[in-house]
């Protein structure tokens, strides 16, 4: 199992350029080229203190599942689906470790966290079987699938999944991509201001990661770096402005984000 | 008003490379650089016969509206919304003029056309007012917002807008981008195998193009080349395999696509 990260370095020479590499024993082993296709070691290594983590990949979209855990399905009183139910979070919703979750301009309602496992696609992927799907999974990351909850059912005729979940900074992923995660024996733990709010076993998932990749690859071609957010389970809740939210998965790490402290104004861009 | 197109040329020298330019008096005036940011004339011109049109831009996403015309709203018996209701079609749904609309593997239900006006974004755009929105609109194109209709409400708990409309080749746009379209005095005309099926005035739109850009720019940052599909009106219907569907808007042109002739098999990739 390896841990891939992306980062910037603020030294004059690197000038904020985004690099990537492996995290090993608290050191960063720099690579170059394409993370998903035979990246090469540069020979440079860094201390963690020298870098700032960014999102570990740059998805063209985040495919986010709804109702994919037995426990949440039972609580909602809604049967598990016959096919993964998903919405699309646009590329512009992306946020990385440490990034601020920004309250949408003009929205003063609840902003909700959803800690989730994220599948990172490694190769262009269309109509693959469950057996083939493993070849197309690069690894796993933590996701906070943030939602402007009060917009979801604002219109009685059309649930606004893409709008409520698509705002800039509402697709938090990171801190790293773990290859070869033993997800069956792992929990998703979400804390809000240090208090545990979610702690659910990934073994309770309805569609397994490989089933999701296979099924969704029949709905659209998936691209390298795309993320499938596997859906959340019990314990979803809202975050006050200024809150700190952390999603942890053993083997991947902890994704930490903060909700913006003040209401953005109409003048803010 | 100008007409921008993208194309490939099959000559040995161009080797299938995608170029772009203006369409003037049946000639192609080639440009280079960025279509949305000070493109430069190369000095070359081509006959239309020398080129094959591709999609006129490459959206990072297509934002597709539902229930944005008074006539359709009345027919559906559903009130017009207070804010544009939208789903996201992923980049991989893109198809251009002449491209085949491919039946999804394993789906043998109805495939439906929706002729629409498409707004093409020219500049990165976030939280803009209606007054500012015009600066961010590059132009307009025709859209066929194709839908696997029987999947939409297959699950009683979650309408599958992104899935039903997100299949590869279900986001047809083209043939050109018209700058400065007088949309208020223009109709969308859709024909199926030569028979007119839709002919509705764009003046019947609920949220105007500039209102859409302003409102949706408050929901997500829009990127150059992104397309907002303005929603359809009366006359939506299904297409048999092998059908020819055309969406025409005066001032833009005619977007022609064909539905794949035979059922794709599970072996097809």
């Amino acid at each position: 199992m390896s841990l891939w990260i992306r980062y910037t370095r603020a030294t004059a020479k690197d000038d904020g350029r985004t690099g990537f590499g492996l995290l090993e024993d608290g050191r960063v082993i720099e690579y170059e080229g394409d993370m998903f296709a035979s990246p090469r070691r540069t020979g440079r290594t860094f201390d963690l203190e020298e870098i700032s983590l960014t999102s570990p990949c740059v998805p063209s979209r985040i495919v986010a599942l709804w109702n994919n855990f037995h426990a949440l399905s039972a609580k909602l009183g809604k049967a598990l689906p016959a096919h993964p139910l998903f919405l699309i979070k646009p590329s512009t919703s992306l946020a990385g470790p440490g990034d601020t979750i920004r309250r949408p301009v003009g929205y003063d309602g609840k902003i909700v966290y959803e800690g989730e496992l994220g599948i990172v696609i490694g190769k262009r992927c269309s109509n693959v079987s469950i057996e083939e799907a493993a070849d197309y999974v690069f690894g796993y990351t933590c996701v906070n699938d943030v939602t402007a909850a009060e917009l979801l059912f604002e219109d009685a005729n059309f649930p606004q999944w893409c709008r409520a979940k698509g705002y800039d900074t509402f697709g938090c992923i990171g801190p790293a991509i773990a290859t070869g995660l033993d997800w069956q024996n792992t929990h998703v733990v979400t804390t809000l201001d240090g208090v545990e709010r979610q702690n659910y076993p990934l073994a309770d998932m309805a569609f397994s990661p490989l089933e999701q990749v296979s099924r969704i690859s029949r709905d659209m071609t998936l691209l390298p770096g795309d993320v499938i957010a596997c859906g959340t389970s019990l314990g979803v809740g809202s975050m006050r402005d200024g809150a700190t939210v952390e999603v942890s998965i053993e083997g991947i790490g902890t994704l930490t984000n903060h909700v913006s402290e003040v209401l953005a104004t109409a003048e803010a861009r």
Side-chain angles (χ1 to χ4, degrees), chain A:
Chain A
M1 191 164 106
S2 305
L3 279 179
W4 289 95
I5 55 172
R6 286 173 73 246
Y7 52 81
T8 54
R9 290 179 71 232
T11 61
K13 198 180 159 209
D14 283 280
D15 198 25
R17 197 173 50 85
T18 303
F20 72 96
L22 286 172
L23 195 60
E24 282 182 16
D25 301 325
R27 293 279 300 171
V28 179
I29 319 290
E30 190 184 55
Y31 278 69
E32 63 184 6
D34 182 344
M35 188 193 285
F36 304 115
S38 308
R40 300 169 299 276
R41 274 187 77 149
T42 65
R44 299 204 301 178
T45 67
F46 310 118
D47 283 331
L48 268 179
E49 291 69 35
E50 294 178 72
I51 63 154
S52 298
L53 289 174
T54 67
S55 68
C57 57
V58 183
S60 78
R61 75 208 60 156
I62 298 172
V63 178
L65 267 67
W66 179 78
N67 196 12
N68 193 35
F69 282 84
H70 293 89
L72 184 59
S73 159
K75 188 191 169 199
L76 295 173
K78 299 197 187 285
L80 285 165
H83 184 89
L85 300 172
F86 64 82
L87 57 109
I88 294 173
K89 294 169 84 99
S91 58
T92 42
S93 70
L94 185 66
D99 285 349
T100 298
I101 297 166
R102 295 200 310 270
R103 175 173 284 280
V105 174
Y107 174 74
D108 59 6
K110 285 183 182 168
I111 298 177
V112 163
Y113 60 81
E114 296 184 6
E116 306 188 4
L117 177 68
I119 307 165
V120 179
I121 299 295
K123 287 192 286 191
R124 191 179 177 90
C125 174
S126 174
N127 286 305
V128 301
S129 66
I130 295 178
E131 294 68 32
E132 293 166 318
D135 280 347
Y136 296 85
V137 174
F138 181 76
Y140 296 91
T141 191
C142 304
V143 175
N144 190 344
D145 176 13
V146 179
T147 310
E150 291 167 36
L151 295 179
L152 259 180
F153 303 109
E154 190 186 54
D155 187 287
N157 297 315
F158 188 97
Q160 296 182 72
W161 292 102
C162 289
R163 181 181 176 212
K165 289 175 172 281
Y167 285 96
D168 294 4
T169 73
F170 275 27
C172 306
I173 66 172
I177 304 170
T179 60
L181 183 77
D182 178 23
W183 62 267
Q184 290 92 338
N185 293 302
T186 308
H187 284 233
V188 174
V189 178
T190 308
T191 67
L192 188 65
D193 291 327
V195 179
E196 185 176 294
R197 297 298 188 96
Q198 296 193 285
N199 187 339
Y200 66 87
L202 286 167
D204 185 48
M205 222 182 305
F207 291 104
S208 73
L210 296 186
E211 283 177 303
Q212 291 176 53
V213 170
S214 170
R215 296 279 202 138
I216 295 168
S217 82
R218 296 170 191 278
D219 294 331
M220 68 181 78
T221 296
L222 295 165
L223 303 178
D226 280 353
V227 170
I228 299 173
C230 296
T232 197
S233 190
L234 303 178
V236 168
S238 72
M239 305 179 286
R240 66 170 178 79
D241 292 336
T244 298
V245 60
E246 299 197 309
V247 178
S248 301
I249 298 176
E250 197 184 354
I252 300 173
T254 296
L255 168 66
T256 304
N257 296 96
H258 307 277
V259 183
S260 54
E261 190 63 56
V262 290
L263 281 173
T265 67
E267 280 70 49
R269 289 292 152 78

